[in-house]
Amino acid sequence: MEKIIIVTPPSETAAAIEQLLQSEGLSRTNVVSSGSEMRRMIKNGLAADLVIINAPLTDEFGNDLAEIAAEESNAAVIMICPTDIAAELESGFADLGIAIVPKPISGEAFSQCLSDIKMMRGNFFDVKESTDVLCRIDDIRLINRAKSALMKYLQFTEPQAHRYLEKHAMNNRCTRREAAIHIINMYEK
């Protein structure tokens, strides 16, 4: 995890959280002192891998902020809250993937929570990477199909078909995929 944002009122807990993160080898943290400041960051396109919310905050409790952070950013979210409401929040946040850590913070529980999040985020990026590869393969298939249509119907050689497709994309200011779809629709009715 590259960038971590801790949302917490000024207290010893902030230092304890940073110390726990450092013990896990994570040190690029930014501390935000209020929910409203964090909301502005989310609205402006939050670029963080992990958001840790130490509830209650000075201007709100933090549960709504956790939901917003989970839904509107790609960041993993951990919410640290009093033990008496941790179970209630955990059941409500399970679908959103928000991890709950009860206070007082146990180093072992926090470490386990971080390793679970790292594993989940790794799986998320593996799936995203696989999807990107499948999209590229699909693009190549469409482009090859369009080149085949050009070779069949206009008797182009493969290099001529390739050049025609590239030029069509450039002239129409579209992607090669869009150009390929246009050519396929034009010749393969």
Side-chain angles (χ1 to χ4, degrees):
M1 289 184 212
E2 292 293 316
K3 187 174 179 188
I4 301 166
I5 298 176
I6 303 170
V7 187
T8 182
S11 67
E12 307 85 43
T13 310
I17 294 168
E18 284 184 308
Q19 189 175 23
L20 286 170
L21 289 168
Q22 286 175 354
S23 70
E24 293 292 321
L26 305 168
S27 59
R28 291 194 58 206
T29 59
N30 184 15
V31 179
V32 176
S33 61
S34 69
S36 57
E37 188 178 348
M38 184 64 192
R39 287 174 194 272
R40 278 191 298 277
M41 291 174 75
I42 292 169
K43 192 174 186 177
N44 293 329
L46 178 68
D49 297 312
L50 176 62
V51 174
I52 300 172
I53 300 171
N54 179 25
L57 301 173
T58 53
D59 55 349
E60 64 180 281
F61 184 75
N63 54 336
D64 292 336
L65 179 62
E67 285 184 47
I68 291 168
E71 292 173 346
E72 297 183 18
S73 74
N74 289 331
V77 180
I78 296 176
M79 185 161 178
I80 301 168
C81 63
T83 305
D84 55 335
I85 61 168
E88 181 183 327
L89 286 176
E90 196 164 23
S91 64
F93 285 161
D95 294 341
L96 295 172
I98 299 170
I100 304 294
V101 176
K103 287 182 188 178
I105 303 169
S106 154
E108 189 176 304
F110 192 77
S111 178
Q112 181 61 46
C113 182
L114 280 175
S115 66
D116 291 346
I117 284 177
K118 285 179 186 176
M119 185 179 69
M120 286 188 321
R121 294 219 19 114
N123 291 342
F124 171 77
F125 287 117
D126 288 346
V127 169
K128 188 176 184 308
E129 200 171 283
S130 297
T131 305
D132 290 345
V133 169
L134 291 175
C135 286
R136 279 190 240 129
I137 290 171
D138 189 43
D139 287 353
I140 291 169
R141 284 184 181 148
L142 277 172
I143 290 166
N144 285 338
R145 191 169 144 203
K147 286 197 252 181
S148 293
L150 290 170
M151 291 185 309
K152 179 179 178 182
Y153 294 106
L154 300 179
Q155 284 73 44
F156 283 178
T157 63
E158 198 278 332
Q160 289 173 324
H162 180 79
R163 178 164 164 61
Y164 180 86
L165 183 83
E166 293 281 325
K167 193 167 183 158
H168 182 81
M170 186 175 67
N171 289 343
N172 292 302
R173 295 182 181 168
C174 62
T175 64
R176 292 184 327 170
R177 176 189 177 85
E178 292 167 339
I181 290 170
H182 182 261
I183 290 168
I184 289 168
N185 290 337
M186 198 162 58
Y187 291 104
E188 292 183 1
K189 293 182 182 180

